[in-house]
Amino acid sequence: MKDRYTPFTIYSMFVATLASLCSGYNKGVMGGVLSSVKQEFQLTPIDESFLVSIALLGGTLGSLFCGYVSDKFGRKAGLTLTAIFFIIGGLVSAFSTTYSILCIGRFIIGMGLGTMLVVVPLYLVEISPELYRGRFVAFSSIMSSLGILLAYTISDLFEDVWNWRFILS
């Protein structure tokens, strides 16, 4: 029985790796909309660099404390926390009226990125059958790469049609 996977296990894997898709999207989306953001907020090169790197700072902080959260409250709680970070960060970014608020939104998204990088692989290892463990965890990386591709594609195709706020959220 441990060598087989069930439809529920596959479903759980897809749901968990949606966080990886969101992670990849949020890693790649800033590259596609940065020129529009720069124009709207009149950013200097230092401001641009900080805006891009603030998500990494949030990711570092998120990855530091999410191990405690997932150990204390469980992996599903960690996945829920990841979703909350992505939703709140996306909304703050989309409705930002100043550069500072946009940085706060990107920081919160970064917290989701860091949390996802720890919790999703842990969850996938725990739910996967032993024979398919590598495939399950590798699917997380595939979804992350797909998210980056999706971000650049959406930014390229719709930057002139949609506002950068819609693409960023």
Side-chain angles (χ1 to χ4, degrees):
M1 184 68 180
K2 288 191 174 223
D3 295 342
R4 300 189 49 141
Y5 53 84
T6 64
F8 182 74
T9 307
I10 298 296
Y11 170 77
S12 298
M13 178 192 64
F14 277 108
V15 170
T17 57
L18 285 177
S20 298
L21 183 76
C22 289
S23 170
Y25 184 84
N26 283 298
K27 287 177 195 172
V29 74
M30 189 52 71
V33 299
L34 191 57
S35 61
S36 299
V37 172
K38 177 183 175 182
Q39 184 178 4
E40 182 167 330
F41 291 124
Q42 303 298 314
L43 302 182
T44 66
I46 292 174
D47 293 337
E48 288 179 60
S49 299
F50 185 75
L51 182 62
V52 172
S53 62
I54 191 75
L56 300 174
L57 182 61
T60 302
L61 187 61
S63 65
L64 287 175
F65 84 87
C66 76
Y68 171 78
V69 170
S70 65
D71 285 344
K72 181 87 171 160
F73 302 106
R75 309 301 185 244
K76 289 181 185 177
L79 289 171
T80 303
L81 184 62
T82 299
I84 290 169
F85 282 141
F86 283 141
I87 291 168
I88 291 173
L91 289 173
V92 169
S93 297
F95 293 108
S96 61
T97 55
T98 65
Y99 168 74
S100 300
I101 295 173
L102 181 58
C103 286
I104 291 169
R106 292 297 296 165
F107 181 81
I108 295 168
I109 287 172
M111 298 272 292
L113 294 172
T115 305
M116 185 284 315
L117 287 171
V118 174
V119 174
V120 169
L122 282 173
Y123 180 75
L124 291 175
V125 164
E126 290 177 352
I127 67 165
S128 62
E130 190 174 333
L131 285 174
Y132 302 105
R133 196 160 288 152
R135 292 178 195 174
F136 273 52
V137 176
F139 195 70
S140 176
S141 296
I142 292 168
M143 291 292 277
S144 181
S145 297
L146 185 62
I148 294 170
L149 175 66
L150 186 65
Y152 277 103
T153 302
I154 288 174
S155 297
D156 191 43
L157 292 176
F158 299 110
E159 187 173 19
D160 296 333
V161 179
W162 295 340
N163 189 310
W164 63 266
R165 296 171 189 281
F166 184 72
I167 295 170
L168 198 59
S169 64

